[in-house]
Amino acid sequence: MSDTQQPTAETTGPAPRELDPERIIDVQFARACAHFSDIDPGMIQVLRHPRRTITVNVPIQRDDGSLANFVGYRVLHNRLLGPGKGGIRYHPRVSLSEVGALAALMTWKCALVRVPFGGAKGGVTCDPKDLSERELRHITRRFISELGDNIGPYTDIPAPDLYTSSQTMAWILDTFDAMHPGKNNLPVVTGKPLELGGSEGRDEATGRGCVYSAERLVSLGAVPGLSELAGARVVIQGYGEVGRVAAQLLHERGARIIAISDSRGAVLDPEGLDLAALARHKAETGSVLGFAESRNITPAELLALECDLLIPAALGGQIHSGNAVQIKARLIVEGANRPITPEADDILTDKGILVLPDILANAGGVTVSYYEWVQNIEHHTWPLEEINSKLRVRMNDATDRVASRWRQFSPPTDTMKGDSKRHDLRTAALVESLERLTHVLRQRGIWP
């Protein structure tokens, strides 16, 4: 399980509605649609709402013999570009609203990086920290059995997400394979163990994609005062797979990782953390707290540190109207999905802080998932160097297109909050995605 759950970092908390995942997606979508002069309202409805939502009960017998029921969800948002694609997460706060919002993000993410998938997402409302491996295995098998043929190699393809792993994907493959004997079922899921058809580089792909995209944006001169990653001061919220990989790759490029947090708290060393020693400390104690070569700080203090790159790689809604004014980063790279609310986006834009949005910054995972899917279908494998090279090319291309679109926007007004047409990188990325999707609608004859 990845250690990505974070305590909420806040000084003044946002209203509950500000963190509502469906509302956040609605606001972001509307801001992008404002840049289309001829988009039909009916087309907006087609592109915004999910094609299919499924809710299932997942009863299992627990280790103590008692019966427990969990609720599972799978949302297929769109299949215009290909089969649905999206992770399965296990978390106490999983809801249909959250899963639906994340499925929409996946549609736009796939369209942006030009992989032939639509968006999907799934999850089970449970606390993995309170469940044994046997119980998690039974939840997974029962969930997949209930979904039945609503998932499949050419229909809807799951992947790991919050508190699921390659082991979870192995259980999914085995369950689906038993339900469909005699077929090549390897492509039904990505993020599998290498021994079961997984791809080299998949585990590191999301963090690697974050670094590739940030590196490219900086090289384009988009970030005032930052010309290269060497020497950059970096703060990372989340010590899961995304945060760990991004930290290591940025360190290799000469950046200084000055602060990192996990689910228990955060540590700071202005001179740069020793990542190898920190990893050993985490393995021995279960937390970054108490690392001898640093000092403990709070999650709120971590987000407010003066730095060049801030990478929120934990949960959604971590930067909001209550703490955005304290952010002092030059560039925020969204390793997590939806870490910044629209209200916080407004504040950050007014402060001149760029945000590399989630549908671009963390698209490395779905990109390498696509490569895994292709390898499974064609019954061959690519070496790690080739996969990383393909990933870099695709991330650079998407970053170039988003940066170009952003620069083509008309100059912003003095008060961004009163301007119906947003001029930030998130909106530029969404406009790129929606433009491609509207073209596909017309080319397929679905819309005149």
Side-chain angles (χ1 to χ4, degrees), residues 4 89 109 161 205-211 235-238 241-243 246 310-316 332-340 355-365:
T4 53
R89 56 177 46 194
K109 189 181 298 184
D161 197 78
T206 304
R208 186 175 293 276
C210 281
V211 173
V235 170
I236 299 178
Q237 184 201 41
E241 206 152 69
V242 177
L310 169 62
I311 304 179
L315 295 175
I332 300 176
V333 182
E334 291 188 321
N337 288 315
R338 299 180 297 98
I340 301 175
V355 175
L356 197 57
D358 45 13
I359 64 170
L360 173 56
N362 65 36

Short mmCIF file of all heavy atoms in Angstrom, two decimals, residues 4 89 109 161 205-211 235-238 241-243 246 310-316 332-340 355-365:
data_model
loop_
_atom_site.label_atom_id
_atom_site.label_comp_id
_atom_site.label_asym_id
_atom_site.label_seq_id
_atom_site.Cartn_x
_atom_site.Cartn_y
_atom_site.Cartn_z
N THR A 4 0.18 7.55 1.09
CA THR A 4 -0.13 8.85 0.49
C THR A 4 -1.17 9.63 1.26
O THR A 4 -1.38 10.80 0.99
CB THR A 4 -0.63 8.68 -0.95
OG1 THR A 4 -1.70 7.73 -0.95
CG2 THR A 4 0.48 8.20 -1.86
N ARG A 89 -9.39 2.64 -6.30
CA ARG A 89 -8.84 3.08 -5.02
C ARG A 89 -9.64 2.49 -3.86
O ARG A 89 -10.85 2.27 -3.97
CB ARG A 89 -8.81 4.60 -4.92
CG ARG A 89 -10.13 5.31 -5.12
CD ARG A 89 -10.02 6.83 -4.93
NE ARG A 89 -8.87 7.40 -5.59
CZ ARG A 89 -8.41 8.63 -5.37
NH1 ARG A 89 -9.04 9.42 -4.49
NH2 ARG A 89 -7.35 9.09 -5.99
N LYS A 109 -7.45 13.69 -19.38
CA LYS A 109 -6.03 13.35 -19.33
C LYS A 109 -5.62 12.52 -20.54
O LYS A 109 -4.59 12.79 -21.19
CB LYS A 109 -5.74 12.59 -18.03
CG LYS A 109 -4.30 12.34 -17.71
CD LYS A 109 -4.15 11.56 -16.41
CE LYS A 109 -4.71 12.32 -15.24
NZ LYS A 109 -4.49 11.61 -13.95
N ASP A 161 -4.43 2.58 -7.83
CA ASP A 161 -4.67 3.95 -7.41
C ASP A 161 -4.41 4.00 -5.90
O ASP A 161 -3.67 3.16 -5.37
CB ASP A 161 -6.09 4.38 -7.79
CG ASP A 161 -6.29 5.89 -7.77
OD1 ASP A 161 -5.84 6.55 -8.73
OD2 ASP A 161 -6.85 6.42 -6.80
N ALA A 205 6.13 5.54 -13.20
CA ALA A 205 5.72 6.37 -14.34
C ALA A 205 5.07 7.68 -13.94
O ALA A 205 5.33 8.71 -14.57
CB ALA A 205 4.78 5.57 -15.24
N THR A 206 4.23 7.69 -12.91
CA THR A 206 3.54 8.93 -12.55
C THR A 206 4.53 9.97 -12.02
O THR A 206 4.52 11.13 -12.46
CB THR A 206 2.45 8.65 -11.50
OG1 THR A 206 1.55 7.66 -12.00
CG2 THR A 206 1.67 9.92 -11.20
N GLY A 207 5.40 9.55 -11.12
CA GLY A 207 6.41 10.48 -10.61
C GLY A 207 7.38 10.92 -11.68
O GLY A 207 7.79 12.09 -11.76
N ARG A 208 7.76 10.00 -12.56
CA ARG A 208 8.68 10.33 -13.65
C ARG A 208 8.03 11.32 -14.61
O ARG A 208 8.65 12.29 -15.06
CB ARG A 208 9.10 9.06 -14.40
CG ARG A 208 10.17 9.27 -15.46
CD ARG A 208 10.61 7.96 -16.07
NE ARG A 208 11.34 7.13 -15.10
CZ ARG A 208 12.63 7.27 -14.84
NH1 ARG A 208 13.34 8.19 -15.48
NH2 ARG A 208 13.22 6.49 -13.97
N GLY A 209 6.75 11.10 -14.92
CA GLY A 209 6.04 12.02 -15.80
C GLY A 209 5.95 13.41 -15.22
O GLY A 209 6.05 14.41 -15.95
N CYS A 210 5.75 13.51 -13.90
CA CYS A 210 5.73 14.82 -13.23
C CYS A 210 7.03 15.58 -13.48
O CYS A 210 7.03 16.78 -13.79
CB CYS A 210 5.53 14.64 -11.73
SG CYS A 210 3.86 14.31 -11.20
N VAL A 211 8.14 14.86 -13.33
CA VAL A 211 9.46 15.50 -13.49
C VAL A 211 9.69 15.87 -14.95
O VAL A 211 10.17 16.98 -15.25
CB VAL A 211 10.56 14.58 -12.96
CG1 VAL A 211 11.95 15.15 -13.27
CG2 VAL A 211 10.39 14.38 -11.45
N VAL A 235 9.68 21.17 -2.51
CA VAL A 235 8.89 20.70 -1.37
C VAL A 235 7.89 19.68 -1.90
O VAL A 235 7.22 19.94 -2.90
CB VAL A 235 8.15 21.87 -0.69
CG1 VAL A 235 7.14 21.35 0.33
CG2 VAL A 235 9.15 22.81 -0.03
N ILE A 236 7.81 18.52 -1.23
CA ILE A 236 6.93 17.45 -1.71
C ILE A 236 5.97 17.03 -0.60
O ILE A 236 6.40 16.63 0.49
CB ILE A 236 7.75 16.23 -2.18
CG1 ILE A 236 8.65 16.64 -3.35
CG2 ILE A 236 6.82 15.08 -2.60
CD1 ILE A 236 9.54 15.54 -3.88
N GLN A 237 4.68 17.14 -0.88
CA GLN A 237 3.66 16.68 0.06
C GLN A 237 3.23 15.27 -0.36
O GLN A 237 2.59 15.08 -1.38
CB GLN A 237 2.44 17.61 0.04
CG GLN A 237 1.39 17.22 1.07
CD GLN A 237 0.03 17.77 0.75
OE1 GLN A 237 -0.39 17.78 -0.40
NE2 GLN A 237 -0.68 18.25 1.77
N GLY A 238 3.62 14.28 0.43
CA GLY A 238 3.27 12.89 0.11
C GLY A 238 4.51 12.06 -0.15
O GLY A 238 5.26 12.34 -1.09
N GLU A 241 4.51 6.54 -3.68
CA GLU A 241 5.32 6.23 -4.86
C GLU A 241 5.59 7.46 -5.72
O GLU A 241 6.71 7.66 -6.21
CB GLU A 241 4.63 5.15 -5.69
CG GLU A 241 5.59 4.33 -6.51
CD GLU A 241 5.04 2.94 -6.74
OE1 GLU A 241 4.06 2.85 -7.48
OE2 GLU A 241 5.57 1.98 -6.18
N VAL A 242 4.58 8.29 -5.91
CA VAL A 242 4.75 9.49 -6.75
C VAL A 242 5.77 10.43 -6.12
O VAL A 242 6.71 10.88 -6.78
CB VAL A 242 3.41 10.20 -6.97
CG1 VAL A 242 3.61 11.48 -7.78
CG2 VAL A 242 2.42 9.29 -7.67
N GLY A 243 5.59 10.73 -4.84
CA GLY A 243 6.49 11.66 -4.17
C GLY A 243 7.91 11.15 -4.08
O GLY A 243 8.87 11.90 -4.30
N ALA A 246 9.53 11.20 -7.67
CA ALA A 246 9.79 12.58 -8.10
C ALA A 246 10.97 13.16 -7.32
O ALA A 246 11.83 13.84 -7.90
CB ALA A 246 8.54 13.43 -7.89
N LEU A 310 6.66 23.14 -5.73
CA LEU A 310 5.85 22.48 -4.71
C LEU A 310 5.07 21.37 -5.41
O LEU A 310 4.38 21.62 -6.40
CB LEU A 310 4.88 23.47 -4.05
CG LEU A 310 3.79 22.88 -3.15
CD1 LEU A 310 4.41 22.14 -1.97
CD2 LEU A 310 2.85 23.97 -2.66
N ILE A 311 5.21 20.14 -4.92
CA ILE A 311 4.55 19.00 -5.55
C ILE A 311 3.57 18.38 -4.56
O ILE A 311 3.97 17.61 -3.67
CB ILE A 311 5.57 17.93 -6.00
CG1 ILE A 311 6.60 18.55 -6.95
CG2 ILE A 311 4.85 16.76 -6.69
CD1 ILE A 311 7.66 17.57 -7.43
N PRO A 312 2.27 18.72 -4.64
CA PRO A 312 1.28 18.03 -3.83
C PRO A 312 1.01 16.66 -4.44
O PRO A 312 0.48 16.55 -5.54
CB PRO A 312 0.05 18.94 -3.90
CG PRO A 312 0.27 19.86 -5.05
CD PRO A 312 1.70 19.79 -5.46
N ALA A 313 1.41 15.61 -3.73
CA ALA A 313 1.30 14.24 -4.26
C ALA A 313 0.57 13.36 -3.25
O ALA A 313 0.94 12.20 -3.04
CB ALA A 313 2.70 13.69 -4.56
N ALA A 314 -0.47 13.93 -2.63
CA ALA A 314 -1.22 13.18 -1.63
C ALA A 314 -2.68 13.09 -2.05
O ALA A 314 -3.00 12.54 -3.09
CB ALA A 314 -1.06 13.85 -0.27
N LEU A 315 -3.57 13.70 -1.28
CA LEU A 315 -5.00 13.66 -1.56
C LEU A 315 -5.48 14.94 -2.22
O LEU A 315 -4.75 15.93 -2.30
CB LEU A 315 -5.78 13.43 -0.25
CG LEU A 315 -5.55 12.09 0.45
CD1 LEU A 315 -6.29 12.08 1.78
CD2 LEU A 315 -6.00 10.93 -0.42
N GLY A 316 -6.73 14.94 -2.67
CA GLY A 316 -7.33 16.13 -3.26
C GLY A 316 -7.66 17.18 -2.20
O GLY A 316 -7.73 16.90 -1.00
N ILE A 332 3.75 25.03 -9.02
CA ILE A 332 3.13 23.89 -8.35
C ILE A 332 2.90 22.80 -9.39
O ILE A 332 2.31 23.05 -10.44
CB ILE A 332 1.79 24.28 -7.68
CG1 ILE A 332 2.03 25.38 -6.64
CG2 ILE A 332 1.14 23.05 -7.04
CD1 ILE A 332 0.75 25.88 -5.99
N VAL A 333 3.36 21.60 -9.10
CA VAL A 333 3.23 20.46 -10.00
C VAL A 333 2.28 19.45 -9.35
O VAL A 333 2.62 18.86 -8.32
CB VAL A 333 4.60 19.80 -10.29
CG1 VAL A 333 4.45 18.66 -11.28
CG2 VAL A 333 5.58 20.84 -10.82
N GLU A 334 1.10 19.26 -9.92
CA GLU A 334 0.06 18.46 -9.29
C GLU A 334 0.31 16.96 -9.49
O GLU A 334 -0.15 16.36 -10.45
CB GLU A 334 -1.32 18.84 -9.81
CG GLU A 334 -1.77 20.22 -9.37
CD GLU A 334 -3.21 20.52 -9.71
OE1 GLU A 334 -3.66 20.12 -10.81
OE2 GLU A 334 -3.90 21.16 -8.91
N GLY A 335 1.05 16.36 -8.55
CA GLY A 335 1.26 14.92 -8.60
C GLY A 335 0.00 14.15 -8.24
O GLY A 335 -0.22 13.04 -8.72
N ALA A 336 -0.83 14.72 -7.39
CA ALA A 336 -2.11 14.12 -7.01
C ALA A 336 -3.21 14.63 -7.94
O ALA A 336 -3.02 15.56 -8.72
CB ALA A 336 -2.44 14.48 -5.56
N ASN A 337 -4.39 14.01 -7.84
CA ASN A 337 -5.56 14.48 -8.57
C ASN A 337 -6.33 15.48 -7.71
O ASN A 337 -6.57 15.24 -6.53
CB ASN A 337 -6.48 13.31 -8.92
CG ASN A 337 -5.90 12.43 -10.01
OD1 ASN A 337 -5.40 12.91 -11.02
ND2 ASN A 337 -5.96 11.12 -9.81
N ARG A 338 -6.70 16.60 -8.30
CA ARG A 338 -7.50 17.64 -7.66
C ARG A 338 -6.92 18.17 -6.34
O ARG A 338 -7.67 18.39 -5.39
CB ARG A 338 -8.94 17.16 -7.40
CG ARG A 338 -9.74 16.77 -8.61
CD ARG A 338 -11.15 16.30 -8.24
NE ARG A 338 -11.14 15.12 -7.41
CZ ARG A 338 -11.26 15.10 -6.08
NH1 ARG A 338 -11.42 16.23 -5.41
NH2 ARG A 338 -11.26 13.96 -5.42
N PRO A 339 -5.63 18.41 -6.24
CA PRO A 339 -5.11 18.91 -4.96
C PRO A 339 -5.44 20.38 -4.71
O PRO A 339 -5.30 20.86 -3.59
CB PRO A 339 -3.61 18.69 -5.08
CG PRO A 339 -3.33 18.79 -6.54
CD PRO A 339 -4.54 18.19 -7.21
N ILE A 340 -5.87 21.10 -5.76
CA ILE A 340 -6.10 22.55 -5.65
C ILE A 340 -7.54 22.85 -6.05
O ILE A 340 -8.01 22.43 -7.11
CB ILE A 340 -5.13 23.33 -6.55
CG1 ILE A 340 -3.68 23.04 -6.17
CG2 ILE A 340 -5.39 24.83 -6.47
CD1 ILE A 340 -2.65 23.67 -7.09
N VAL A 355 0.54 26.79 -12.05
CA VAL A 355 0.14 25.44 -11.64
C VAL A 355 0.18 24.54 -12.86
O VAL A 355 -0.53 24.76 -13.84
CB VAL A 355 -1.28 25.44 -11.03
CG1 VAL A 355 -1.72 24.00 -10.73
CG2 VAL A 355 -1.34 26.29 -9.77
N LEU A 356 1.04 23.52 -12.81
CA LEU A 356 1.07 22.49 -13.85
C LEU A 356 -0.02 21.48 -13.47
O LEU A 356 0.11 20.75 -12.49
CB LEU A 356 2.44 21.82 -13.87
CG LEU A 356 2.84 21.01 -15.11
CD1 LEU A 356 2.77 21.84 -16.38
CD2 LEU A 356 4.23 20.44 -14.93
N PRO A 357 -1.13 21.43 -14.22
CA PRO A 357 -2.33 20.74 -13.74
C PRO A 357 -2.21 19.22 -13.76
O PRO A 357 -1.42 18.64 -14.51
CB PRO A 357 -3.41 21.22 -14.72
CG PRO A 357 -2.66 21.50 -15.98
CD PRO A 357 -1.34 22.06 -15.54
N ASP A 358 -3.06 18.60 -12.96
CA ASP A 358 -3.04 17.15 -12.80
C ASP A 358 -3.21 16.40 -14.12
O ASP A 358 -2.55 15.38 -14.34
CB ASP A 358 -4.11 16.70 -11.80
CG ASP A 358 -5.47 17.36 -12.01
OD1 ASP A 358 -5.69 18.00 -13.06
OD2 ASP A 358 -6.32 17.23 -11.10
N ILE A 359 -4.09 16.86 -15.01
CA ILE A 359 -4.32 16.11 -16.25
C ILE A 359 -3.11 16.09 -17.16
O ILE A 359 -3.04 15.28 -18.09
CB ILE A 359 -5.56 16.60 -17.02
CG1 ILE A 359 -5.39 18.04 -17.52
CG2 ILE A 359 -6.82 16.46 -16.19
CD1 ILE A 359 -6.49 18.47 -18.49
N LEU A 360 -2.13 16.94 -16.88
CA LEU A 360 -0.85 16.90 -17.59
C LEU A 360 0.24 16.33 -16.69
O LEU A 360 0.91 15.35 -17.04
CB LEU A 360 -0.46 18.30 -18.06
CG LEU A 360 0.94 18.46 -18.66
CD1 LEU A 360 1.15 17.51 -19.83
CD2 LEU A 360 1.17 19.90 -19.10
N ALA A 361 0.40 16.90 -15.51
CA ALA A 361 1.55 16.56 -14.66
C ALA A 361 1.59 15.09 -14.26
O ALA A 361 2.66 14.48 -14.22
CB ALA A 361 1.55 17.44 -13.40
N ASN A 362 0.43 14.49 -13.93
CA ASN A 362 0.48 13.10 -13.47
C ASN A 362 -0.01 12.11 -14.53
O ASN A 362 -0.42 10.99 -14.20
CB ASN A 362 -0.27 12.92 -12.14
CG ASN A 362 -1.76 13.18 -12.24
OD1 ASN A 362 -2.41 12.86 -13.23
ND2 ASN A 362 -2.34 13.74 -11.19
N ALA A 363 0.07 12.51 -15.80
CA ALA A 363 -0.38 11.64 -16.89
C ALA A 363 0.62 10.54 -17.24
O ALA A 363 0.33 9.70 -18.10
CB ALA A 363 -0.69 12.46 -18.14
N GLY A 364 1.77 10.51 -16.59
CA GLY A 364 2.74 9.47 -16.89
C GLY A 364 2.23 8.08 -16.57
O GLY A 364 2.55 7.10 -17.26
N GLY A 365 1.41 7.96 -15.53
CA GLY A 365 0.89 6.66 -15.14
C GLY A 365 0.01 6.04 -16.21
O GLY A 365 0.19 4.88 -16.60
#
